[in-house]
């Protein structure tokens, strides 16, 4: 049992390292094409969004800041249950592509987490994919974002768990929505492990780091928004930030949660 677990862990670490290597050429962790504006770190995204939140409180609710720039917003594209368990303060919930539940098992027409990429490999999902399997078609996703943010220059910062779905959502908004200022939050909400380096290259075999210095290397030692970054999160649900077509799937009548620096994992 322990031997099998060790093999599984090493396999996962190798996959993460391969993804990191792909990022050297694409900018994102999973080797996807980049149709959107650029990457942005979790810390930078929060710095820009929180600064605008403070300006809003001081000067009232306006679409632009004092310099005439559009206020950035965070779109959390994780599944509804992931968002409910904890999300960046003030983030909008627009689940894509999976609204709830888990991806279907991969086959020869899907990538490794079950997304059909047979029609549009740049975005990663079938344009006419039916919502009956728990997925949100690309055009439905883009149309909904347009209903909230019709300005094509609106800064949209896209977040998922590790930077996979967010890349594809960002590509969809750039390609089918013609948004010009979409940025992928590189680390994601949970993030991935960080590894020790020898000089300019990762130590071999890979050595995952104890980021929170608790003496144990485990799932808490990831580089995402809610873990190593330690950025503000909340479980409070605001109706104006939820995906309205499926509002009934959110526990909106539940007692609001408190803000914290880390919420429940995926």
């Amino acid at each position: 049992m322990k031997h099998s677990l060790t093999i599984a862990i090493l396999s996962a670490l190798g996959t993460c390292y391969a993804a990191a290597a792909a990022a050297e050429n694409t900018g994102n962790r999973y080797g996807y094409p980049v149709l959107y504006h650029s990457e942005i770190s979790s810390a930078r995204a929060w710095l820009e969004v929180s600064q605008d939140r403070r300006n809003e409180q001081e000067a009232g609710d306006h679409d632009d800041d004092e310099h005439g720039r559009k206020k950035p917003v965070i779109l959390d594209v994780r599944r509804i249950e992931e968002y409910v368990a904890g999300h960046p303060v003030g983030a909008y919930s627009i689940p894509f592509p999976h609204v709830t539940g888990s991806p279907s098992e991969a086959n020869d027409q899907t990538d490794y987490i079950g997304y059909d990429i047979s029609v549009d490999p740049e975005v990663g999902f079938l344009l006419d994919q039916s919502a009956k399997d728990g997925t949100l078609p690309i055009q439905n996703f883009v149309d909904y974002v347009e209903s909230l943010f019709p300005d094509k220059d609106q800064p949209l910062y896209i977040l998922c768990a590790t930077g996979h779905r967010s890349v594809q959502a960002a590509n969809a908004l750039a390609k089918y929505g013609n948004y010009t200022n979409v940025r992928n939050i590189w680390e994601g909400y949970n993030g991935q492990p960080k590894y020790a380096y020898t000089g300019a290259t990762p130590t071999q075999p890979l050595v995952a780091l104890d980021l929170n210095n608790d003496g144990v290397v485990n799932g808490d030692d990831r580089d995402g928004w809610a873990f190593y970054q330690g950025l503000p999160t909340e479980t409070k649900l605001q109706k104006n930030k939820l995906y309205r077509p499926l509002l009934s799937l959110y526990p909106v009548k539940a007692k609001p949660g408190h803000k914290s620096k880390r919420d429940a994992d995926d």
Side-chain angles (χ1 to χ4, degrees):
M1 184 68 172
K2 289 183 178 179
H3 181 65
S4 298
L5 180 60
T6 300
I7 293 175
I9 292 173
L10 290 175
S11 176
L13 293 180
T15 299
C16 291
Y17 178 55
E24 294 179 5
N25 297 320
T26 67
N28 59 67
R29 283 180 149 168
Y30 291 91
Y32 277 95
V34 175
L35 308 183
Y36 49 89
H37 182 281
S38 59
E39 313 297 321
I40 189 170
S41 69
S42 299
R44 184 69 189 180
W46 174 246
L47 178 65
E48 295 188 9
V49 171
S50 60
Q51 180 61 51
D52 282 317
R53 287 168 61 85
R54 287 193 295 272
N55 292 342
E56 180 179 317
Q57 292 170 353
E58 295 171 1
D61 188 9
H62 301 287
D63 290 335
D64 302 336
D65 66 14
E66 70 273 20
H67 302 293
R69 297 171 302 198
K70 288 290 178 182
K71 297 176 180 178
V73 294
I74 294 173
L75 306 185
D76 188 332
V77 299
R78 295 176 300 152
R79 300 188 305 274
I80 288 175
E81 56 265 36
E82 293 177 274
Y83 180 89
V84 168
H87 52 269
V89 172
Y92 285 79
S93 174
I94 310 179
F96 180 76
H98 290 276
V99 172
T100 185
S102 299
S104 59
E105 184 177 352
N107 57 47
D108 58 1
Q109 289 295 312
T110 65
D111 71 4
Y112 74 99
I113 55 174
Y115 300 151
D116 193 325
I117 61 174
S118 60
V119 170
D120 190 342
E122 288 184 322
V123 175
F125 314 109
L126 274 171
L127 283 170
D128 59 352
Q129 194 167 7
S130 171
K132 68 183 180 181
D133 63 353
T135 62
L136 187 67
I138 291 173
Q139 198 58 55
N140 292 37
F141 170 69
V142 173
D143 289 347
Y144 185 75
V145 173
E146 288 179 326
S147 74
L148 296 179
F149 307 103
D151 187 340
K152 298 301 182 177
D153 294 325
Q154 168 69 45
L156 302 173
Y157 298 167
I158 317 301
L159 174 133
C160 69
T162 66
H164 184 274
R165 289 168 284 180
S166 58
V167 167
Q168 296 172 310
N171 278 341
L173 292 173
K175 184 171 184 176
Y176 297 104
N178 298 311
Y179 282 96
T180 62
N181 199 4
V182 180
R183 305 186 71 181
N184 171 55
I185 298 179
W186 199 83
E187 300 94 339
Y189 188 80
N190 298 327
Q192 294 182 358
K194 280 187 176 292
Y195 303 107
Y197 270 64
T198 302
T201 60
T203 301
Q204 296 296 329
L206 294 175
V207 177
L209 299 177
D210 178 13
L211 297 181
N212 61 7
N213 198 36
D214 65 354
V216 179
V217 177
N218 56 24
D220 291 339
D221 297 301
R222 288 170 290 179
D223 61 5
W225 183 291
F227 289 84
Y228 179 66
Q229 300 292 327
L231 299 171
T233 68
E234 63 182 353
T235 54
K236 180 180 180 180
L237 301 180
Q238 303 177 56
K239 285 188 177 181
N240 67 323
K241 300 291 178 65
L242 306 182
Y243 183 61
R244 290 194 296 268
L246 294 174
L247 194 61
S248 62
L249 297 181
Y250 296 86
V252 292
K253 295 182 180 180
K255 183 178 179 181
H258 64 280
K259 294 180 182 179
S260 67
K261 287 206 170 183
R262 188 176 73 201
D263 286 298
D265 191 8
D266 172 58

